[in-house]
Amino acid sequence: MNQRPTQKSDRKKRPEWKPRKRTAKAPGNAPVTKEAADMASEKTKKPHPTDMTRAQGVHMDPMNKPVALTQDPHALREPKENNLEIAIGHEVRALRKKLGITIADLASATGISMGMLSKIENGVTSPSLTSLQALASALGVPLTDFFRRYEEPRNAVFVKSGEGIAIERRGTRAGHEYNLLGHIDNNTSGVVVEPYLLTLTEESSSFPAFQHEGMELIYMLEGEVRYRHGDQLFYMQAGDSLFFDADARHGPEELLSFPIRYLSIICYPARG
């Protein structure tokens, strides 16, 4: 005879009851207004490169490239052979005109046809050594004179650290040290460039204001300064730069942290 299980053994143990922890509703569950969403989007949105460059004074084209910066620094000039032909042609024409003779006169004196002389002067063809010798004899110059334009020198100035030429610019005062980092006379660019390294110490008195033609670039190397350009003030520290039209009144307004060192590069048109 089977015994009926007791009521106690027939029941399953129930898990111990524990109170639930109440969690606050996530902010995202709350309805978000359009204004709040727009504000959040503005905070997280990164500035577009075009907006940044416009703020820096650079005008961009539809392809997001600077409009004014059209020079290709990697573009090489014509091959030397072509440049040499043009240089020789310009020299032949200049010497002929200096003597006041026509192409027909030069053709008669050299035995070179007028058509060939025209091609030589325009740099279209490369004259033979025999033709150059005939031209040199007729024009009364050494053969090497035809290569002067081609051999025009391109100068470079190298200045070792601490060896810049210390100079005094007009209007400078005690505690202002100017070091000229290089200067090239009679360059082919038509632009004069004056690169300076300026050092200001605690002995510096109030800095004079400057105003001159051309453009200027200031690049901070050390220290802190408040720099004025026109009616604007710029707080500058190491790594900051300021590029401006130097025709406006400019110069350090307040010297904040010493020593102060910065590069000043001034560019202006060469006077004829």
Side-chain angles (χ1 to χ4, degrees):
M1 184 176 179
N2 296 331
Q3 292 184 353
R4 188 175 180 182
T6 61
Q7 188 175 4
K8 186 176 181 180
S9 60
D10 191 37
R11 288 180 180 174
K12 293 182 179 180
K13 289 185 178 181
R14 295 181 179 178
E16 185 179 353
W17 179 84
K18 293 181 180 180
R20 272 187 177 181
K21 291 183 180 180
R22 294 186 178 181
T23 57
K25 290 185 178 181
N29 296 334
V32 180
T33 64
K34 184 178 182 302
E35 291 78 6
D38 291 343
M39 289 177 64
S41 175
E42 285 295 326
K43 288 182 179 180
T44 57
K45 186 172 66 175
K46 292 182 178 180
H48 191 275
T50 303
D51 298 332
M52 295 173 65
T53 49
R54 281 175 180 164
Q56 295 168 353
V58 180
H59 298 285
M60 311 299 285
D61 65 10
M63 300 300 291
N64 199 32
K65 293 182 180 179
V67 174
L69 308 181
T70 56
Q71 185 187 63
D72 182 0
H74 302 288
L76 301 177
R77 296 181 183 271
E78 297 175 355
K80 288 186 177 180
E81 293 77 17
N82 290 343
N83 280 340
L84 181 58
E85 292 165 359
I86 293 172
I88 292 172
H90 286 176
E91 196 65 23
V92 170
R93 178 179 292 162
L95 290 168
R96 177 178 62 78
K97 289 187 174 181
K98 184 177 181 180
L99 294 174
I101 61 177
T102 65
I103 289 184
D105 295 332
L106 189 57
S108 177
T110 59
I112 303 172
S113 69
M114 292 177 56
M116 179 59 70
L117 282 175
S118 179
K119 288 182 179 180
I120 290 174
E121 288 194 357
N122 290 313
V124 176
T125 188
S126 180
S128 66
L129 288 174
T130 303
S131 297
L132 286 175
Q133 189 173 14
L135 286 166
S137 177
L139 295 169
V141 296
L143 192 66
T144 54
D145 275 19
F146 295 128
F147 305 97
R148 285 188 307 180
R149 295 174 187 257
Y150 178 70
E151 295 176 345
E152 189 172 9
R154 298 291 186 267
N155 297 325
V157 176
F158 175 67
V159 179
K160 291 285 289 182
S161 176
E163 294 183 2
I165 302 173
I167 65 170
E168 290 186 7
R169 289 188 68 200
R170 184 180 302 173
T172 56
R173 302 179 185 178
H176 305 155
E177 182 181 331
Y178 279 80
N179 282 279
L180 182 63
L181 301 181
H183 184 68
I184 298 178
D185 287 321
N186 302 322
N187 66 79
T188 59
S189 67
V191 176
V192 177
V193 180
E194 297 181 9
Y196 295 100
L197 172 61
L198 276 76
T199 303
L200 308 179
T201 64
E202 295 182 7
E203 298 176 358
S204 302
S205 57
S206 58
F207 208 90
F210 294 99
Q211 191 169 2
H212 52 84
E213 64 176 336
M215 307 296 292
E216 186 168 352
L217 171 69
I218 298 293
Y219 183 82
M220 290 293 297
L221 299 173
E222 188 179 5
E224 299 175 30
V225 66
R226 208 177 304 278
Y227 200 93
R228 173 176 293 280
H229 178 259
D231 57 357
Q232 291 183 289
L233 288 174
F234 300 90
Y235 167 72
M236 301 184 68
Q237 55 185 348
D240 293 344
S241 63
L242 182 63
F243 183 51
F244 53 86
D245 186 339
D247 193 43
R249 186 181 177 90
H250 60 274
E253 180 82 4
E254 188 177 358
L255 311 180
L256 302 174
S257 176
F258 296 97
I260 296 171
R261 291 193 314 133
Y262 62 88
L263 291 174
S264 169
I265 301 174
I266 304 170
C267 306
Y268 53 89
R271 297 178 180 86

